[in-house]
Amino acid sequence: MPEIPFSEAVIVADDGMPIAHVDFDRLQSDAVRYMYEIACTAGDGVATDAVGAKWAMANSPDYFGYLCAAALSLMVRNILAPTLDVAAELGVDLRPGLKSACAAALRDLGGKQ
């Protein structure tokens, strides 16, 4: 069996048979591009939907799932956190409201992660 570079992974089924291949360098690059592309649509729901649809149609459902997870993490770290920091420095601390909304969603929507 050929050795696979660390920047790639083969996803296997329960029976050990390969079912997917992930190139982490491509995934990281795509996630950054998707993050910025969708972030630029903030406040415009139609544009947000269009960007999401474009990326969903251009990728397999499994890859798109990984892509969304990576882009979401990047968006929180690279866009939301700095935005919240600046707002707090300007005297508008949005974090308590965000935490309250999170608590309400977890309480009202149930489920466990």
Side-chain angles (χ1 to χ4, degrees), residues 79-88 94:
I79 295 176
L80 181 59
T83 300
L84 293 174
D85 290 345
V86 169
L94 300 172

Side-chain angles (χ1 to χ4, degrees), residues 23-37 55 58-59 63 67-68 70-71 74:
D23 177 337
F24 293 116
D25 291 337
R26 175 182 167 222
L27 179 62
Q28 180 73 18
S29 176
D30 284 351
V32 169
R33 291 173 40 233
Y34 182 43
M35 171 195 70
Y36 281 121
E37 207 172 324
W55 280 87
N59 294 284
Y63 184 79
L67 175 62
C68 287
L74 289 169

Side-chain angles (χ1 to χ4, degrees), residues 19-81:
I19 57 172
H21 170 263
V22 178
D23 177 337
F24 293 116
D25 291 337
R26 175 182 167 222
L27 179 62
Q28 180 73 18
S29 176
D30 284 351
V32 169
R33 291 173 40 233
Y34 182 43
M35 171 195 70
Y36 281 121
E37 207 172 324
I38 203 161
C40 288
T41 69
D44 183 345
V46 172
T48 300
D49 292 345
V51 169
K54 179 184 91 170
W55 280 87
M57 291 186 309
N59 294 284
S60 72
D62 289 338
Y63 184 79
F64 186 63
Y66 290 123
L67 175 62
C68 287
L72 180 60
S73 178
L74 289 169
M75 188 169 313
V76 168
R77 297 167 196 273
N78 298 310
I79 295 176
L80 181 59

